Amino acid sequence: MEKNIASIIVSSALLFFLFFSTSDAIWITLPGPSGMKCVSEEIQNNVVVLADYLVIQADQSYHPTISVKVTSPYGNAFHHSENVTVGNFAFTTQESGSYLACFSVLHNPGGGEVQMNLDWKIGVAAKDWDSVARKDKIEGVELELKKLEGSVEAIHENLVYLKGRDEDSE
């Protein structure tokens, strides 16, 4: 009986972690020939942000390039690249608010739309769990529980932030 309860608790914890810490890449279609699209994320202060982006082109006879600009809620530039097909950015937020990543087509010899992939990770999802496991010499369920603890801390911090923001707006 105790083994079943422990199994249920561990399974529930793992499902909770998977629900709250997954990060999925998104596909973005940039309208051609010189279109722009932006993605924003509400992020609080002192949070790690990692992202990878890649232009996807089915026809390999030409290679469109894009411009990428990432700005903070107050307009500070964290990343800017021109004429790229692949790249990444990483930073720790300095202010709370909506961070904006804008992607625009600079050169598209084929005309038409440009497809790109963006994998944007923040907070716990951006943490390098492999190095944590090596440093703390943990694995398996213990590592998953460590990840779950990080997720719970992130959720708590976010709730405290939202509560403070609500109080400020009243």
Side-chain angles (χ1 to χ4, degrees):
M1 178 74 171
E2 289 179 25
K3 189 174 183 180
N4 286 341
I5 293 173
S7 175
I8 291 171
I9 291 172
V10 170
S11 296
S12 298
L14 291 175
L15 287 173
F16 179 82
F17 171 74
L18 290 173
F19 179 75
F20 282 106
S21 67
T22 59
S23 77
D24 293 321
I26 59 171
W27 290 88
I28 300 172
T29 301
L30 301 173
S34 59
M36 174 190 283
K37 282 205 178 170
C38 297
V39 177
S40 69
E41 179 89 30
E42 183 78 21
I43 310 173
Q44 57 186 315
N45 189 26
N46 202 28
V47 174
V48 175
V49 176
L50 301 175
D52 296 300
Y53 53 88
L54 169 70
V55 173
I56 307 294
Q57 194 60 37
D59 183 355
Q60 296 299 318
S61 64
Y62 62 93
H63 302 283
T65 60
I66 61 172
S67 169
V68 181
K69 186 173 183 181
V70 181
T71 56
S72 74
Y74 296 111
N76 299 321
F78 279 99
H79 176 77
H80 187 100
S81 290
E82 300 277 338
N83 288 315
V84 295
T85 58
V86 63
N88 57 47
F89 55 85
F91 59 89
T92 301
T93 58
Q94 304 293 317
E95 49 209 46
S96 296
S98 187
Y99 284 76
L100 189 66
C102 292
F103 304 90
S104 59
V105 178
L106 286 184
H107 177 70
N108 186 7
E113 299 176 332
V114 173
Q115 301 288 324
M116 67 166 290
N117 178 282
L118 173 64
D119 186 10
W120 177 298
K121 298 177 184 178
I122 63 169
V124 175
K127 194 165 189 169
D128 182 3
W129 290 105
D130 290 335
S131 67
V132 170
R134 282 191 304 275
K135 186 181 106 190
D136 294 345
K137 297 178 182 165
I138 58 176
E139 59 185 37
V141 173
E142 191 175 3
L143 176 60
E144 295 304 316
L145 289 173
K146 189 88 163 162
K147 291 178 185 179
L148 181 59
E149 180 183 20
S151 294
V152 170
E153 287 173 3
I155 291 167
H156 179 260
E157 289 171 5
N158 197 32
L159 288 173
V160 169
Y161 165 73
L162 291 172
K163 183 179 177 184
R165 194 175 72 174
D166 274 352
E167 289 173 356
D168 289 346
S169 67
E170 291 177 358

